Amino acid sequence: QVQLVESGGGLVQAGGSLRLSCAASGSAFSINAMGWYRQAPGKQRELVAPITCSGSTNYADSVKGRFTIARDNFENTVYLQMNSLKEEDTAVYFCNIDCLESGSLRYYWGQGTQVTVSS
């Protein structure tokens, strides 16, 4: 079993910055892709940014140029640096990983961390 622990959410004014972290722990697993999703009230969960094990990244159009995803493969941690935050970035942010665990491909979600951007 793999556990994901997120941190770094909070309340920030528009134009401010936050950095989210998500650390994976467990035994006998290797992580493939990692990513961040978000879900605003009344909306579907959407992909914000994925990152492959080799470090290739992609971003939702709404966050390009403002958010940066990075990972530390030694620490099994993925980060999301969020700059120039807007009110529309307000959501619960979830990290997600897919990994090989005891020979099987599995997907895990973090518990979610609230990001609130005020005007």
Side-chain angles (χ1 to χ4, degrees), residues 3-4 18 22 28 30 34 36-37 43 47-48 55 66-67 72-74 77 81 86 98 101 107:
Q3 292 80 41
L4 300 179
L18 283 174
C22 175
S30 62
M34 309 178 84
W36 288 95
Y37 289 72
K43 295 188 177 181
L47 177 61
V48 176
R66 301 187 298 121
F67 290 11
D72 182 329
N73 291 331
F74 182 76
T77 300
Q81 178 66 44
K86 304 176 180 180
D98 67 83
E101 186 181 10
Y107 299 87

Side-chain angles (χ1 to χ4, degrees), residues 86-100:
K86 304 176 180 180
E87 287 183 76
E88 51 263 44
D89 295 318
T90 295
V92 179
Y93 284 70
F94 299 88
C95 66
N96 171 269
I97 67 168
D98 67 83
C99 62
L100 285 176

Side-chain angles (χ1 to χ4, degrees), residues 2-118:
V2 176
Q3 292 80 41
L4 300 179
V5 178
E6 300 177 22
S7 60
L11 173 64
V12 65
Q13 285 192 325
S17 298
L18 283 174
R19 187 190 193 213
L20 306 182
S21 300
C22 175
S25 63
S27 61
F29 72 100
S30 62
I31 300 174
N32 297 324
M34 309 178 84
W36 288 95
Y37 289 72
R38 67 185 181 185
Q39 187 166 18
K43 295 188 177 181
Q44 288 189 329
R45 190 172 297 189
E46 63 173 352
L47 177 61
V48 176
I51 182 168
T52 68
C53 55
S54 62
S56 296
T57 61
N58 204 353
Y59 296 93
D61 288 342
S62 58
V63 307
K64 279 181 181 176
R66 301 187 298 121
F67 290 11
T68 303
I69 188 170
R71 63 188 285 172
D72 182 329
N73 291 331
F74 182 76
E75 298 290 341
N76 289 329
T77 300
V78 62
Y79 304 95
L80 186 68
Q81 178 66 44
M82 304 185 294
N83 298 329
S84 301
L85 282 161
K86 304 176 180 180
E87 287 183 76
E88 51 263 44
D89 295 318
T90 295
V92 179
Y93 284 70
F94 299 88
C95 66
N96 171 269
I97 67 168
D98 67 83
C99 62
L100 285 176
E101 186 181 10
S102 302
S104 298
L105 182 63
R106 300 187 188 277
Y107 299 87
Y108 290 96
W109 290 92
Q111 80 279 9
T113 185
Q114 177 70 47
V115 171
T116 303
V117 185
S118 64

